[in-house]
Amino acid sequence: MPPQSSFEAVNAYVDDAARIIDLDDEALAVLRSSHREVAVSLQVRRDDGSLLVVRGYRVQHNGARGPYKGGIRFHPQADLDETRALASLMTWKTALLDIPFGGAKGGIEVDPVGMSPHELERMTRRFTNGIRHVLGTYRDIPAPDVNTNAQTMAWIMDAYSAGAGYSPAVVTGKPLDLGGAPGREAATGRGVVYVLEAAAMHWKLDLTALRVAVQGFGNVGSWVTRALHELGVPVVAVSDVRGGVHRAAGLDVPALFEATTGGGSVVDVAGRDGAEAITNDELLGIDCDVLVPAALGDVLDERTAPLVKAGTVLEGANHPTTPEGDRIMNERGIRVVPDVLANGGGVTGSYFEWSQNIQQYRWPEERFNTELRSKMVEAFTNTELFAEERGITLRQAAFAIALERVARAEKLRGSA
Ligand code: NAD
């Protein structure tokens, strides 16, 4: 059998959930395909005068419950199939978190490493102009993802507003000076930790005795690490694209931030205070209680899933587990808290930012975090209870709840 594409893999979860909720074939056919796909060729003038030509995508998967919503990533593997898969995941995530958005994703198939800020800005503006006809405050709202950040969102907002007038709510994850919400940058990582707190309480685990390993030290991974450290939970291993570092008694978290501020790597901490260098593969199989993949997709597969020693996997990244990896971990009794639940704090925070922009009113960060926590705990509790009731996995329960909500919205809107 040929290997499954990422979109096929997500649709396999959709099919499974459809069986669980007994969804009819017509409704399922709607939910399996994306509504709109825009592909653009982008010409970017490099600083040295040469021309870079790359492809960019925006896929809008489903908008039955609200405007399309999803991040934009710059990565060599951000092709149309991956973008479709991630757009579909956004549909299920926004539905599970019960926020009034649909699902979308965007990407530029490019390696941004080594590109200058001017080149990145020119590429981002070109991309925005190429997809602006499908964007809008009540149409489609991008956000940061892998290798994009608040600055990227500022450029998108500016390029879009040049034609449409001042439109802060057309993107989320903006800098605070341009209508960003205090708390949004940390929201995905904090959300992962709120889910872990809720799970520990529900499963009667002593939170501060849990040893956690985090793959990736970007936006999500670094905020997970920081939030765990604030709670006194030991982080025993972390990694980034250059490799990882491990200390069984817990890493010196402030030292990790010191090493990475200004472009360094977590690996630079190796050798200090008993911390040892490890590879990214070794991190996945490290002796710990909770593993948080927070980097890229497809890292837990048939080769690495058998190595996992953690009892719980919290999916901070999107689609970090292949269906085969998922099957292996389920058989091994590892609890997998799926991406659509675990990293839903990002889009929930984006929803808070979007609503504040529309009202031209800013919440203090404490309110942001309180409401974020309550949304994450509610989503975890609903998913856990549904899974217990039906005797199914958390992933199956999360998709089933989400599918039911989107299918209901589709039906109410009609198909004539
Ligand atoms: P980021 O670009 O800020 O960070 C990515 C991190 O992964 C970096 O530390 C990088 O060094 C590391 N990395 C890259 N390749 C690696 C490899 N082969 N092995 C180990 N580490 C590697 O990205 P991010 O925004 O933190 O996103 C990470 C994941 O979380 C993605 O799957 C993204 O879709 C998902 N996510 C992000 C958000 C958000 O708000 N940023 C929200 C929900 C989900």
Side-chain angles (χ1 to χ4, degrees):
M1 216 170 63
Q4 247 182 346
S5 73
S6 297
F7 188 47
E8 283 167 350
V10 174
N11 268 343
Y13 296 139
V14 171
D15 292 343
D16 196 20
R19 275 190 295 276
I20 292 166
I21 61 168
D22 215 4
L23 189 71
D24 66 79
D25 289 348
E26 285 185 359
L28 176 60
V30 173
L31 303 185
R32 287 183 107 258
S33 70
S34 42
H35 169 70
R36 183 183 284 122
E37 301 178 346
V38 180
V40 287
S41 172
L42 306 173
Q43 303 171 15
V44 187
R45 189 62 65 188
R46 303 292 302 245
D47 293 344
D48 66 6
S50 63
L51 191 71
L52 174 71
V53 182
V54 290
R55 291 194 70 74
Y57 307 98
R58 186 69 180 169
V59 173
Q60 298 174 335
H61 179 263
N62 188 287
R65 299 181 66 262
Y68 300 98
K69 185 84 191 81
I72 289 188
R73 64 171 59 178
F74 295 166
H75 196 272
Q77 265 115 48
D79 59 11
L80 187 54
D81 176 72
E82 184 190 77
T83 311
R84 274 186 190 133
L86 295 170
S88 172
L89 283 180
M90 288 304 297
T91 298
W92 314 122
K93 194 180 301 182
T94 52
L96 180 67
L97 270 297
D98 202 11
I99 51 184
F101 287 140
K105 201 78 180 189
I108 302 181
E109 248 178 305
V110 70
D111 184 359
V113 176
M115 287 180 75
S116 74
H118 285 306
E119 290 169 344
L120 288 170
E121 179 174 352
R122 282 196 288 274
M123 183 172 75
T124 304
R125 287 181 184 279
R126 278 272 174 174
F127 183 50
T128 309
N129 287 330
I131 63 168
R132 61 180 312 123
H133 57 295
V134 299
L135 301 183
T137 300
Y138 293 102
R139 194 173 281 253
D140 186 349
I141 308 135
D145 196 73
V146 175
N147 292 327
T148 58
N149 55 25
Q151 177 61 74
T152 324
M153 296 307 113
W155 292 327
I156 296 178
M157 177 195 136
D158 185 69
Y160 182 83
S161 296
Y166 178 63
S167 310
V170 75
V171 282
T172 56
K174 295 177 292 293
L176 295 183
D177 289 322
L178 292 177
R184 168 61 186 93
E185 198 201 326
T188 311
R190 281 203 193 287
V192 170
V193 175
Y194 292 151
V195 169
L196 180 61
E197 282 183 293
M201 197 179 289
H202 196 91
W203 297 334
K204 302 193 173 28
L205 304 171
D206 177 1
L207 185 68
T208 53
L210 296 175
R211 297 158 307 145
V212 184
V214 183
Q215 184 192 48
F217 205 70
N219 173 283
V220 182
S222 69
W223 278 105
V224 167
T225 305
R226 194 189 294 255
L228 289 170
H229 180 64
E230 283 167 9
L231 290 173
V233 180
V235 178
V236 296
V238 297
S239 68
D240 59 31
V241 70
R242 284 179 47 197
V245 64
H246 170 242
R247 184 171 178 268
L251 290 161
D252 178 349
V253 171
L256 291 171
F257 281 95
E258 214 174 284
T260 50
T261 308
S265 164
V266 294
V267 183
D268 300 338
V269 169
R272 285 196 234 162
D273 203 18
E276 48 163 3
I278 52 168
T279 64
N280 258 301
D281 266 11
E282 283 168 341
L283 180 130
L284 297 174
I286 214 87
D287 186 19
C288 65
D289 302 297
V290 180
L291 173 65
V292 184
L296 294 173
D298 295 337
V299 292
L300 290 165
D301 56 15
E302 71 278 9
R303 189 180 62 81
T304 53
L307 309 175
V308 172
K309 293 203 182 71
T312 301
V313 170
L314 259 176
E315 294 185 340
N318 280 315
H319 200 60
T321 307
T322 66
E324 187 59 10
D326 198 45
R327 188 187 60 72
I328 293 168
M329 291 195 287
N330 290 335
E331 278 174 12
R332 296 185 56 216
I334 297 169
R335 287 165 163 143
V336 181
V337 185
D339 45 11
V340 289
L341 171 59
N343 71 34
V347 75
T348 304
S350 280
Y351 166 51
F352 297 160
E353 179 179 333
W354 178 77
S355 7
Q356 290 171 59
N357 291 154
I358 288 169
Q359 294 174 38
Q360 291 290 305
Y361 181 76
R362 182 173 278 185
W363 299 356
E365 189 165 351
E366 300 76 57
R367 175 173 174 195
F368 185 104
N369 288 339
T370 305
E371 300 218 11
L372 178 64
R373 179 195 289 269
S374 101
K375 274 290 202 193
M376 300 310 292
V377 171
E378 184 189 325
F380 171 79
T381 309
N382 288 342
T383 311
E384 172 66 22
L385 294 180
F386 192 98
E388 283 173 13
E389 208 179 281
R390 306 280 186 112
I392 56 178
T393 67
L394 286 170
R395 193 186 311 277
Q396 287 173 315
F399 272 81
I401 294 170
L403 238 75
E404 210 155 39
R405 289 182 179 160
V406 180
R408 248 191 341 256
E410 280 285 356
K411 192 165 181 205
L412 284 166
R413 290 180 68 152
S415 55

